[in-house]
Amino acid sequence: MRTIVVASACLLSLGAATWEHSKRTRWIGRWTQKKKFAGQPVDAWLYWCAPPHDKEEWVYMPVMESVAEGLRRFNANASVAYADASVSVDIPEAARALRATTGRKTLVILFGWWNRRIAASQALFARLGRDENVYLVLYQSEPLAHAFTVRPSFYGARELWDYSAGNLALLRRRKDQTGPAILRFVPPGFVPRRALVRGDEVDDAATPAQAGFVGRRASRAPWLARNPALKAAVAPGPAFTWTALADLLRRAPLQVVLHRTEQPGYAFESLRGAVLAANRVCVLAQKSAPEDEKVWAGVVHFEHSSANLTARIGRLLGDPAALARCRRQTYHVFRHRFDVAAIFRRAQVPDLLRSLGWRLPPRSGEGRAQGRVHK
């Protein structure tokens, strides 16, 4: 029986500790725990499955920080640690010790579990799925068809948390799909430390000559080649560090989110959208899954044809006041609707944490979950 927790919308720490960025590299794969875990019990592990490499650090880091912040908001004393194949730590042994000393199960959330290059770690993931001291969750951050095609193994995970409401709707329709029994909609939320563009910069911004696309357009090239007017209106801008990203968004505060394909019902790329919205960018996007368009309405403006998307870019570039209004609205709606604690409540994550033995505030002070449970 499958349980789907849906909703209308939507750092690493020892005690109140924080994420610490190593100077050795820019990417999340070298984020390490302060004090080297120092014998401290860890309540939750956020595990990056794919090989760490030097890539845009803003792509996956924000959703991991969002999940970590959500866990911290419900228990400030919980220890949430990051790990990957480069971190030498025995998670099963740490989970056994936590259970023995506190009675709590260890929450392990795998990110990037769909990656093709994780053969060396698959035995660990399967072991975690079988471990009675571990509660294993997969975080799904790719369009459903892609992830489930390249990585059909679910390692015995109990739950799947998805960045896309459209993905969950597709799973609900796929009667034959095997995998975790419990599905939750947990999109990336607002993380204050990643809001780099200030409000006063909106009024002072110069009107850009083109809309922007953060990153490299190689995977979008065939579609853009068939839409030359849109291609001319959108300028790519690779950014590998947070500083470079902030500079780029100040120069190009009108951003377009483009899919890799024109596949109907394609999941909205919320990892990208969340970073843009937190930085007061006016966000336009291609047609996406209707469930995602509903969730992101007021934050992202969806257009269902390349002609309409090109036309809206032109209107906003020609009306600085309208562009500024869009930027303010995007930030305001995103900050409130995608508050990390609200996302967790709607997905009923606090109930899961209580079942693992976490001490959380009484339900009356926490607010009622607004999601519906489908069985």
Side-chain angles (χ1 to χ4, degrees):
M1 180 175 293
R2 167 162 290 166
T3 300
I4 302 181
V5 183
V6 299
S8 59
C10 83
L11 70 254
L12 290 182
S13 67
L14 290 176
T18 57
W19 295 66
E20 177 181 318
H21 190 274
S22 169
K23 295 180 179 179
R24 288 178 292 171
T25 185
R26 294 190 293 261
W27 197 65
I28 191 170
R30 291 293 184 268
W31 283 64
T32 54
Q33 174 78 319
K34 284 186 176 180
K35 301 182 181 178
K36 306 296 183 184
F37 310 114
Q40 299 284 346
V42 174
D43 295 287
W45 293 90
L46 308 186
Y47 195 102
W48 177 251
C49 301
H53 57 92
D54 197 15
K55 195 176 180 181
E56 294 99 335
E57 64 184 12
W58 54 269
V59 175
Y60 289 103
M61 187 194 304
V63 70
M64 300 181 79
E65 289 183 316
S66 174
V67 170
E69 177 67 10
L71 296 173
R72 187 196 65 79
R73 291 274 290 275
F74 283 97
N75 186 343
N77 294 319
S79 173
V80 182
Y82 169 81
D84 61 34
S86 71
V87 178
S88 179
V89 61
D90 188 341
I91 295 179
E93 174 56 27
R96 186 204 62 77
L98 180 71
R99 189 80 177 273
T101 56
T102 69
R104 296 193 297 272
K105 281 191 174 183
T106 297
L107 176 64
V108 178
I109 306 177
L110 303 184
F111 297 80
W113 56 276
W114 41 262
N115 192 277
R116 296 178 186 273
R117 296 173 294 167
I118 61 173
S121 301
Q122 288 185 17
L124 169 62
F125 303 154
R127 180 183 174 191
L128 292 173
R130 296 190 303 266
D131 196 319
E132 63 180 6
N133 301 313
V134 170
Y135 194 91
L136 186 63
V137 173
L138 305 179
Y139 190 93
Q140 165 61 11
S141 58
E142 293 290 326
L144 194 64
H146 170 72
F148 280 58
T149 298
V150 301
R151 183 54 56 201
S153 175
F154 300 99
Y155 308 113
R158 304 286 294 278
E159 300 195 7
L160 185 144
W161 294 6
D162 208 299
Y163 80 140
S164 165
N167 275 356
L168 292 185
L170 181 57
L171 274 177
R172 196 160 63 246
R173 295 191 293 267
R174 289 178 60 171
K175 304 294 184 181
D176 61 334
Q177 180 63 59
T178 59
I182 300 175
L183 311 174
R184 301 180 195 266
F185 176 46
V186 187
F190 178 73
V191 179
R193 68 192 300 264
R194 295 306 174 196
L196 307 176
V197 179
R198 303 186 311 274
D200 59 358
E201 296 182 72
V202 174
D203 294 323
D204 298 335
T207 303
Q210 290 177 292
F213 173 82
V214 178
R216 291 159 288 191
R217 291 193 313 193
S219 59
R220 281 78 173 175
W223 187 79
L224 287 172
R226 296 192 296 274
N227 298 276
L230 180 60
K231 182 178 181 180
V234 179
F240 293 92
T241 66
W242 284 104
T243 300
L245 177 67
D247 291 342
L248 187 152
L249 297 182
R250 290 184 178 101
R251 298 193 305 272
L254 175 61
Q255 289 284 320
V256 179
V257 177
L258 302 172
H259 302 320
R260 292 175 180 170
T261 73
E262 296 177 82
Q263 176 183 340
Y266 204 85
F268 173 64
E269 296 184 15
S270 60
L271 272 65
R272 179 184 299 271
V275 172
L276 299 177
N279 281 283
R280 296 177 167 85
V281 168
C282 181
V283 185
L284 309 182
Q286 284 177 271
K287 180 180 180 180
S288 301
E291 297 82 6
D292 287 332
E293 291 195 7
K294 182 178 180 181
V295 167
W296 288 88
V299 180
V300 178
H301 304 278
F302 296 91
E303 293 292 353
H304 290 191
S305 73
S306 61
N308 289 346
L309 187 55
T310 305
R312 178 168 281 210
I313 290 173
R315 290 196 301 272
L316 286 167
L317 293 180
D319 189 343
L323 178 58
R325 286 194 301 271
C326 176
R327 296 179 64 186
R328 294 191 192 95
Q329 174 183 308
T330 295
Y331 175 81
H332 176 79
V333 176
F334 177 73
R335 179 177 179 179
H336 291 87
R337 185 185 302 166
F338 290 84
D339 172 79
V340 291
I343 290 172
F344 269 37
R345 292 190 191 101
R346 288 190 288 260
Q348 302 177 20
V349 173
D351 290 340
L352 164 63
L353 299 180
R354 289 190 181 93
S355 74
L356 300 181
W358 288 43
R359 292 186 178 181
L360 272 66
R363 287 181 175 83
S364 59
E366 167 196 308
R368 294 179 59 84
Q370 298 176 24
R372 293 186 300 156
V373 178
H374 297 265
K375 294 185 178 179

